[in-house]
Amino acid sequence: MFKASHSFAFFDYFRIPYEVRTPQQESGYAGAAAFVRMVTAVARPGQASRSLMWIGAEARPAAQNLAGQLGCYRLHNFTFFGHVAPDAAILAMLQQPGRGWHAAESIRAADGRRVAGIWRDTDGNVFLPFDPAEVMRLFWSEGYRDIGRSAIAASCRAAALRGYYLARPALPRSVQLALRRRFARVQSASPFPGWPIEDSLHDFYGWLFAVTADLAGGPVPFLGLWPDGRSWALVLTHDVETAAGYRDMDLLRAPERARGYRSSWNFVGARYQVDSETVRSLQGAGCEIGVHGLWHDGRDLVGRFMDERLPAMWEHASRWNAVGFRSPATHRAWELMHRLGFDYDSSYTDTDPYEPQPGGCCSFLPYFNRNTVELPITLPQDHTLFTILQHADADLWLRKAGHIRDCGGMVLVLTHPDYAHDQRLADGYQTLLDTFADDITAWRALPREVAAWWRRRAASTILANGDGWRIDGPASDTGRVCFAGDGSMTDQLRSASPTACAGQ
Ligand SMILES: [Zn+2]
């Protein structure tokens, strides 16, 4: 269906079928070939083939007037980050065939000023002044947080947070909470990502799906996001902070058990005694155990502490048959998480301005950080909702979970037995469990099952099969071929019901 000059991260992520054919240097595109990447829809009989072109981030011209400015931009209804090349640079690269090239859609700076455009010609070819792979990576890695703020402000802020964080174990709880509330006020003033919902990344996907469907002249097949005909995923996780939480696990486990849910329990290896009988009994009930650091003292992932502590964390993982990691206080860094050596990490949030390390990957879906599957936490944490923000009920949880369900995403919940004596949390959690207990569209999965599925999905491709399509690879037994047309990602995923997905 598509041929590409280079690998295309967006197609790889959604498993849209395409073939990479590195262009010959003597082709007509040689002039701009050093920078320009291209995917071409194979023409249907009687139609001209159409191409989508972009500037490869890894091959960007050195001159900034051609490469563009790394920054925060708006296109349609979403915010994105990346290098965006100005119109003059695109004009210089438009030596390709095609007539009537014009800047069809405006890309704006944060202040609303038009700075660049999406270029189109009369034959339906499209030229993006940015690299979609860079855009996706800057969301996933939270790399956008380094953009557009002065280095001095960033380092002062990081130092203040580190000071609070390292001092925390010694502070009385009331002082900790007061500090957290003060940070909460500061952090909620941050313009991006929005909270409790930030749709920019998924709106970006939806827009790119629409562009792609336009090239193809019809719906584009992709590998469905969830197995077994399910249209979204619901994943329950718990971090057990202290011995008190370890004692009180049943406050959260009992209501799950009563409603047929399974969940994952992340333990802090050296902070309290974890007995093998508890591990066996949880696993016997279908639950999962994960690793929540070694001491939970703010140092588990810091420099030499991490190197010293990793072998002990792995030892706990091996004893508990754990394959997943949740960082204490969601402390995380893109260059660190894959070094932990776990099958999956669940330390990123989609959006959370209230954590000691605020930010968010903006994703309701899993993604890869090198060989580690990242499973973002996508509902606000119990402590944030009920203790810091003093919500009275689960209304915000239900609204956000409903939104993610409608987007076909993954609702990944994090609650702590340590806080479950708070009746608002206990009641709120039961309301959440009740709301989706009978939802047959939900894949109620453990995080390790989601990570394993995401690997099978990434190792599978869609192949033409007569007039239709079939899945080749380890997802072939439970996966589905879905189709994305025009409209938003939300719309296309809403329609990713059996009518839009061919059963396998
Ligand atoms: Zn914790």
Side-chain angles (χ1 to χ4, degrees):
M1 182 169 219
F2 293 103
K3 281 183 286 188
S5 63
H6 298 76
S7 67
F8 188 23
F10 174 70
F11 279 14
D12 291 337
Y13 187 59
F14 286 98
R15 316 306 301 149
I16 296 169
Y18 75 111
E19 216 178 290
V20 177
R21 285 193 200 159
T22 309
Q24 303 294 311
Q25 275 306 307
E26 59 272 20
S27 80
Y29 302 96
F35 312 131
V36 178
R37 308 291 177 245
M38 179 165 53
V39 58
T40 302
V42 177
R44 296 179 175 194
Q47 279 182 352
S49 64
R50 292 168 172 175
S51 295
L52 171 67
M53 286 159 272
W54 67 94
I55 301 171
E58 79 291 353
R60 231 176 4 247
Q64 201 189 66
N65 62 337
L66 288 178
Q69 184 79 37
L70 179 62
C72 170
Y73 299 97
R74 293 279 299 171
L75 175 61
H76 296 284
N77 57 337
F78 58 85
T79 299
F80 72 100
F81 305 84
H83 286 85
V84 170
D87 293 338
I90 303 301
L91 276 168
M93 291 184 200
L94 288 175
Q95 307 297 326
Q96 297 89 342
R99 292 161 296 147
W101 282 103
H102 60 286
E105 297 149 87
S106 292
I107 296 176
R108 299 183 184 280
D111 60 8
R113 197 166 33 93
R114 184 192 180 285
V115 290
I118 304 295
W119 286 72
R120 294 177 186 272
D121 76 359
T122 46
D123 296 327
N125 297 301
V126 182
F127 199 114
L128 310 179
F130 54 81
D131 184 345
E134 182 185 45
V135 171
M136 289 160 67
R137 192 180 61 248
L138 286 171
F139 278 116
W140 290 345
S141 65
E142 300 177 306
Y144 67 83
R145 291 182 49 75
D146 301 327
I147 298 171
R149 62 164 79 175
S150 87
I152 293 169
S155 64
C156 287
R157 178 189 168 74
L161 286 170
R162 205 158 46 234
Y164 149 74
Y165 191 47
L166 291 176
R168 195 169 64 155
L171 295 174
R173 186 145 179 81
S174 57
V175 177
Q176 286 187 33
L177 273 178
L179 275 174
R180 281 288 285 267
R181 289 204 183 106
R182 202 163 79 210
F183 273 119
R185 276 199 299 279
V186 174
Q187 288 164 6
S188 63
S190 168
F192 189 91
W195 186 91
I197 290 172
E198 176 54 66
D199 278 327
S200 279
L201 174 59
H202 288 266
D203 286 340
F204 173 72
Y205 293 152
W207 175 77
L208 214 42
F209 262 121
V211 169
T212 308
D214 210 38
L215 289 187
V220 173
F222 68 100
L223 214 166
L225 299 169
W226 306 112
D228 301 325
R230 311 291 177 161
S231 60
W232 63 292
L234 175 58
V235 183
L236 305 177
T237 73
H238 309 284
D239 294 352
V240 180
E241 307 288 85
T242 62
Y246 183 75
R247 190 191 58 222
D248 290 337
M249 288 193 299
D250 220 43
L251 292 175
L252 298 177
R253 180 62 199 134
E256 293 172 358
R257 204 186 297 117
R259 294 161 180 80
Y261 283 93
R262 300 171 301 148
S263 54
S264 176
W265 297 81
N266 298 310
F267 291 140
V268 187
R271 203 186 211 185
Y272 47 82
Q273 184 68 37
V274 176
D275 62 277
S276 51
E277 183 46 41
T278 303
V279 170
R280 254 201 309 275
S281 134
L282 281 169
Q283 288 171 340
C287 289
E288 172 180 346
I289 310 295
V291 173
H292 189 37
L294 189 65
W295 288 102
H296 207 303
D297 58 357
R299 293 184 170 95
D300 283 337
L301 267 67
V302 176
R304 66 183 171 84
F305 292 103
M306 176 171 141
D307 295 328
E308 283 167 18
R309 293 177 181 191
L310 257 181
M313 290 196 239
W314 290 332
E315 200 184 308
H316 287 295
S318 149
R319 195 179 313 146
W320 301 334
N321 190 24
V323 299
F325 185 80
R326 161 79 45 70
S327 183
T330 67
H331 184 195
R332 62 203 178 272
W334 189 246
E335 296 305 324
L336 279 190
M337 307 325 278
H338 70 97
R339 282 185 48 210
L340 297 171
F342 285 81
D343 180 58
Y344 73 83
D345 168 61
S346 181
S347 305
Y348 284 79
T349 56
D350 65 328
T351 169
D352 195 339
Y354 300 106
E355 278 291 280
Q357 183 182 333
C361 63
C362 307
S363 175
F364 307 144
L365 294 173
Y367 54 93
F368 280 94
N369 177 351
R370 294 183 181 78
N371 195 37
T372 302
V373 180
E374 289 293 345
L375 302 176
I377 303 158
T378 56
L379 283 197
Q381 290 190 34
D382 50 358
H383 185 263
T384 303
L385 203 59
F386 298 107
T387 309
I388 296 181
L389 299 175
Q390 296 284 316
H391 280 229
D393 56 37
D395 181 60
L396 190 145
W397 269 355
L398 299 186
R399 278 190 287 128
K400 184 163 183 190
H403 176 72
I404 295 175
R405 176 197 58 201
D406 294 346
C407 296
M410 172 178 66
V411 174
L412 193 148
V413 191
L414 166 53
T415 49
H416 303 75
D418 306 75
Y419 311 133
H421 284 290
D422 184 330
Q423 202 56 43
R424 297 166 302 179
L425 162 56
D427 293 346
Y429 192 57
Q430 296 193 28
T431 306
L432 181 72
L433 297 179
D434 279 336
T435 302
F436 301 111
D438 300 320
D439 188 334
I440 56 162
T441 66
W443 184 36
R444 296 201 274 160
L446 296 173
R448 70 191 303 155
E449 294 167 346
V450 177
W453 155 253
W454 209 252
R455 288 183 191 282
R456 291 202 303 279
R457 185 175 176 277
S460 301
T461 49
I462 294 179
L463 299 177
N465 184 27
D467 287 341
W469 303 92
R470 68 178 178 85
I471 299 172
D472 184 47
S476 62
D477 50 345
T478 52
R480 297 179 299 172
V481 178
C482 294
F483 296 90
D486 45 10
S488 72
M489 183 70 179
T490 304
D491 288 343
Q492 66 85 11
L493 284 170
R494 265 201 200 107
S495 67
S497 56
T499 53
C501 289
Q504 289 293 312

